[in-house]
Amino acid sequence: MRKFVTIIFSVITVSVYAQSAEEKDSIVEVQSPIVVDSLILKDTVKTELVSLPSDIDFIPGDESPELVADRLGCLQKTIELSYNSKVHAFIDYFTVRDRDYTKMVLRRRDLYFPLFEKKLKEYGLPDELKYLSIIESGLNPRAASAARAVGLWQFMSGTGSYFGLHNNWFTDDRMDPEKATDAACRYLSQLYSIFHNWHLALAAYNSGPGTVRWAVRRSGYKKTFWEIYPYLPRETRSYVPQYIAIIYAVNYATEHNIQEYQREEILPHDTIALNQFLHLETFAKMTGICVEDLQSLNPHIKGNAIPEDGKHRTIKVPKSAKELLSQNRKTILDSAAIGKREVEALAKVTGDYTNGRDRNVYCVRNGDVLGTIAQRFGVSIRNLKEWNNLRGNLIRVGQRLIIWASNSAKANQATFHTSSVQYPQDSKTYTVQPGDTLWDISKKVPGVTIEKIKSLNNLKEDKLQPGQKLIVG
């Protein structure tokens, strides 16, 4: 009986083993690929294929100082392109750390370089001064700094006004590429005539001639930028090195694999002369153009409209608009004049009543009060306070006040100054230039001391204003 059971168990075992073997063989033969794939998925980390951007820049290794100095030497024309560690640091910035800025400049340079080159040649100035606007504004005509310097050449309101760049609620000449470039050429010419050194003239463009003169005196009357370097403000110390570095970066962009194939171009345009109110958006709709195109061609128009203030103005318009305008000028301009009252009302309710006026900066003198200043410029005390964020009536000598005055009021103000100072017959006078100090004038005019100038002109302080006339003998 036990043998029989053993035989039966053996037969069953052999049968089961044979069946298992058959099943195993079938799995290996037919299902093998699926099993292998599932095992691979379980035993490996889940991953995703990520496509890397194809426009990653390859940045070449650092160029040797000798090579950079040699390249600068090849670029040098009139203005010295010095090479040192400070210049190299900014070259590294423009070619490595902020390559996008350099690419942006390469895209924009064709917009304004032809204008710069033309004006610089007209004034007999070095052609390489065209790169200065890159440092000032990044070739952006509407650039505005925290210090309220504006435009391609970053004129402050006072300096701009001195060189004929006026601004009001509607327009700002500092944003006009042609006018601002002409003013910059005149200013740079004046600065070079003062210092007879382009590096010092550039430093003075940044911080003012008075600041550079002060640094020259502090240095023991050294004559170069690098010798007075420690005595200059921090921003001015980096100004000339940046200027040299951007000249290098723009001209050797390819060597640093900075490639920019796109170029910004000025729209084909023509000009129209106006002496009436014009609303840009309405004009654009009437002529079938984009208002953005009008704004890009006329960056100096701030309020999206041109005022009717008795001045003759010329604006740029796309050629297609000029062609349509020539066919129906009166209808289009009359339609674009609609909204004049609303825009002028908007200019007034902004709280500063600046429409039709030019922005001026007035330096408070001894004896001035808000009432006399307001009367002198033909404005109200309330407006004076609003323009200058004054809570009370207290002002101090030397304080600078922003005053939006009409041309007639400025003429009256000039008459006031002329009549308030009585010049003796045959007296010698000197007109104060930007950056002048009493010490500078005493050195320019033989036999005159600071005390004598103050006595002759009843001056109780040393502060002067550009254009001010002084008796010097």
Side-chain angles (χ1 to χ4, degrees), residues 147-300:
R148 297 185 178 180
V150 172
L152 286 168
W153 298 95
Q154 291 291 282
F155 276 101
M156 297 292 289
S157 180
T159 310
S161 180
Y162 180 82
F163 286 99
L165 302 177
H166 305 294
N167 66 88
N168 54 41
W169 191 87
F170 288 96
T171 61
D172 191 335
D173 289 342
R174 296 174 295 170
M175 297 183 187
D176 186 309
E178 287 83 5
K179 291 182 179 179
T181 301
D182 188 86
C185 289
R186 284 183 280 129
Y187 191 24
L188 287 166
S189 298
Q190 185 181 92
L191 293 173
Y192 184 73
S193 70
I194 294 172
F195 297 102
H196 304 287
N197 179 292
W198 275 115
H199 284 180
L200 295 183
L202 293 177
Y205 189 92
N206 175 255
S207 61
T211 302
V212 175
R213 284 189 177 121
W214 180 84
V216 169
R217 290 197 295 270
R218 286 286 306 275
S219 70
Y221 295 95
K222 303 296 185 189
K223 297 182 178 180
T224 70
F225 172 82
W226 302 108
E227 289 175 318
I228 70 168
Y229 180 90
Y231 305 97
L232 291 168
R234 180 185 299 177
E235 180 185 342
T236 309
R237 275 181 276 172
S238 65
Y239 192 73
V240 171
Q242 284 185 69
Y243 169 73
I244 296 172
I246 199 64
I247 293 178
Y248 174 93
V250 170
N251 285 279
Y252 287 103
T254 303
E255 283 74 4
H256 290 268
N257 196 35
I258 300 177
Q259 308 287 347
E260 182 53 64
Y261 300 106
Q262 296 181 349
R263 290 288 185 270
E264 294 183 22
E265 297 179 348
I266 297 178
L267 290 170
H269 62 274
D270 208 330
T271 59
I272 60 173
L274 295 169
N275 59 354
Q276 66 184 77
F277 179 88
L278 183 79
H279 189 247
L280 294 190
E281 191 169 348
T282 306
F283 179 82
K285 289 179 180 178
M286 294 291 295
T287 54
I289 59 174
C290 297
V291 68
E292 291 80 9
D293 290 343
L294 268 181
Q295 291 168 340
S296 67
L297 288 171
N298 303 278
H300 61 291

Side-chain angles (χ1 to χ4, degrees), residues 39-52:
L39 288 175
I40 291 174
L41 289 173
K42 290 178 182 177
D43 292 346
T44 57
V45 178
K46 185 176 181 180
T47 60
E48 292 182 6
L49 292 176
V50 179
S51 59
L52 294 174

